[in-house]
Amino acid sequence: MDKLKVTFFTKENCSLCDNGLTVLKMVQEDIPFEIEMVDIYKDDVLLEKYQVMIPVVSIDGEEVDFGILSEDKIRKRLLSVCR
């Protein structure tokens, strides 16, 4: 099976994003997945869509969590995708 990919929509100088990345890395210790970092300021469509929500975590194209990320919510979604 291909390694899971989690898309992490972020921007520079964002403490919530830094915290969110820490949450993702904690989950990554138990569940192997690749983190794809996407800077919303490099894409006008993403900037318009996510500017007040970031960070945003997307798994398999589905937005799973945003803002203050929940380790539990992300872990549960990843586990359901793994099965």
Side-chain angles (χ1 to χ4, degrees):
M1 181 175 142
D2 285 345
K3 194 174 202 183
L4 280 169
K5 184 162 83 178
V6 171
T7 307
F8 185 64
F9 296 96
T10 184
K11 69 176 183 179
E12 289 180 16
N13 302 319
C14 165
S15 59
L16 267 182
C17 301
D18 296 340
N19 295 343
L21 188 57
T22 301
V23 168
L24 281 182
K25 288 186 173 169
M26 286 174 6
V27 175
Q28 203 175 33
E29 289 173 12
D30 301 324
I31 305 168
F33 63 88
E34 184 184 321
I35 300 172
E36 178 191 18
M37 306 280 284
V38 177
D39 182 341
I40 63 168
Y41 278 95
K42 292 187 168 60
D43 183 321
D44 290 342
V45 174
L46 292 176
L47 177 59
E48 194 171 315
K49 183 174 180 181
Y50 290 136
Q51 62 184 343
V52 295
M53 291 172 64
I54 62 155
V56 176
V57 171
S58 172
I59 301 170
D60 269 359
E62 178 193 337
E63 291 165 15
V64 175
D65 205 4
F66 64 91
I68 297 172
L69 302 182
S70 159
E71 182 181 345
D72 195 46
K73 189 186 279 188
I74 294 166
R75 184 181 305 274
K76 283 181 178 157
R77 184 69 188 113
L78 280 166
L79 287 172
S80 74
V81 171
C82 289
R83 293 197 182 110

